[in-house]
Amino acid sequence: MILTTEALGKSFDGLRANNDINFTLKKNRVHALIGPNGAGKTTFVSMLIGRLEPTDGAIWFDGKNVTEMPAHRRVAQGMGYTFQITSVFARLSCHENVALAARRRLGRNRAAVDEAVARALGRVGLGERAEEVAGDLSYGHQRLLEIAMGLASMPRLLILDEPTQGLAESEIAAFKALIRELSSETTILLIEHNMSVVMELADEITVLNFGEILAHGTAAEIHANPAVQAAYLGTETADAED
């Protein structure tokens, strides 16, 4: 296991957003996290990456308790993530956006940084757009740029929050191919509402509902689960979000 949570919970002014979540991520697997609107996915992921402090419970990353570790130290430990809303630097070029992430790992070795940037941009299909200003990209391409920024840090765990939002069908097909390739190199936690993407890519799926784990299993098991059908698959649209 590369990540586990033990009885993880979060309350906001008495409102329970997450409750008693025991969750595991196996190394070099694609694990999808799904759930209806308001299920608590964003809160849960925010605790994993250190943006929110849990009310109770613990988070372990690669055998180390990181519950109280700040977000930047988790990145240094090997966690990478993209946000549901893009966090690129709009006035910088695509190259420089990715270089900022690469320098955290490689320091000021310019040749190594440039090589890492070129490789990351190429993998997401933006290799020929390296010098374009990030703010001039479409929303979908900004999402791809953010994934390239995550890849440049060579994470052992890559958390992708709604990565296909804003992508065209052809770009989604390329994204699926990228995830298949990456899964041999790193662990991927995918938070995604496009169920065709989830069902095709995920080795395991965890379903959250009302801040608790409703179900866990393979794509086939989740698709056939009556409780999941009632809570999510039969009613949710592909573009809803927490």
Side-chain angles (χ1 to χ4, degrees):
M1 303 297 175
I2 193 167
L3 182 142
T4 61
T5 70
E6 299 173 355
L8 198 66
K10 181 65 178 178
S11 297
F12 296 97
D13 297 324
L15 177 65
R16 197 70 169 166
N18 282 158
N19 185 56
D20 196 29
I21 296 180
N22 296 296
F23 177 82
T24 61
L25 279 178
K26 297 175 184 175
K27 290 183 178 180
N28 296 107
R29 306 271 280 179
V30 178
H31 194 128
L33 180 68
I34 67 173
N37 196 23
K41 301 184 298 297
T42 298
T43 299
F44 177 62
V45 171
S46 294
M47 288 190 287
L48 295 186
I49 64 177
R51 298 185 77 194
L52 280 178
E53 183 178 348
T55 303
D56 40 56
I59 303 166
W60 296 79
F61 180 64
D62 206 17
K64 180 180 295 185
N65 190 326
V66 299
T67 311
E68 298 182 1
M69 185 179 289
H72 71 276
R73 287 190 56 202
R74 298 188 199 196
V75 171
Q77 292 292 317
M79 282 192 188
Y81 53 87
T82 68
F83 297 108
Q84 183 186 356
I85 300 173
T86 58
S87 58
V88 301
F89 295 94
R91 296 184 181 182
L92 298 181
S93 70
C94 295
H95 180 282
E96 190 57 33
N97 266 277
V98 181
L100 289 171
R103 288 189 194 110
R104 295 173 188 161
R105 177 172 61 90
L106 299 170
R108 296 191 176 276
N109 183 332
R110 181 164 182 172
V113 168
D114 287 347
E115 181 181 350
V117 170
R119 185 167 187 265
L121 287 173
R123 296 186 85 172
V124 301
L126 296 177
E128 296 182 357
R129 308 184 71 172
E131 299 310 318
E132 291 188 28
V133 176
D136 292 340
L137 298 179
S138 68
Y139 178 77
H141 285 160
Q142 288 185 32
R143 300 311 309 271
L144 293 175
L145 176 60
E146 195 178 28
I147 293 173
M149 294 166 67
L151 294 178
S153 64
M154 296 288 288
R156 289 182 290 153
L157 168 61
L158 182 60
I159 301 173
L160 302 176
D161 195 350
E162 294 294 333
T164 67
Q165 191 173 32
L167 297 185
E169 285 301 317
S170 61
E171 293 166 335
I172 291 176
F175 170 80
K176 291 177 182 177
L178 173 64
I179 294 303
R180 293 189 192 99
E181 180 184 342
L182 290 174
S183 64
S184 65
E185 306 170 17
T186 188
T187 305
I188 296 170
L189 177 59
L190 183 67
I191 300 91
E192 179 61 66
H193 269 93
N194 186 322
M195 292 309 299
S196 67
V197 171
V198 170
M199 293 298 176
E200 188 171 335
L201 291 179
D203 298 303
E204 298 178 62
I205 301 172
T206 296
V207 185
L208 285 186
N209 194 34
F210 296 112
E212 298 184 347
I213 293 178
L214 175 66
H216 170 263
T218 65
E221 290 168 340
I222 293 299
H223 190 269
N225 188 307
V228 177
Q229 289 281 353
Y232 182 51
L233 293 179
T235 59
E236 273 297 291
T237 60
D239 59 355
E241 180 47 73
D242 273 23

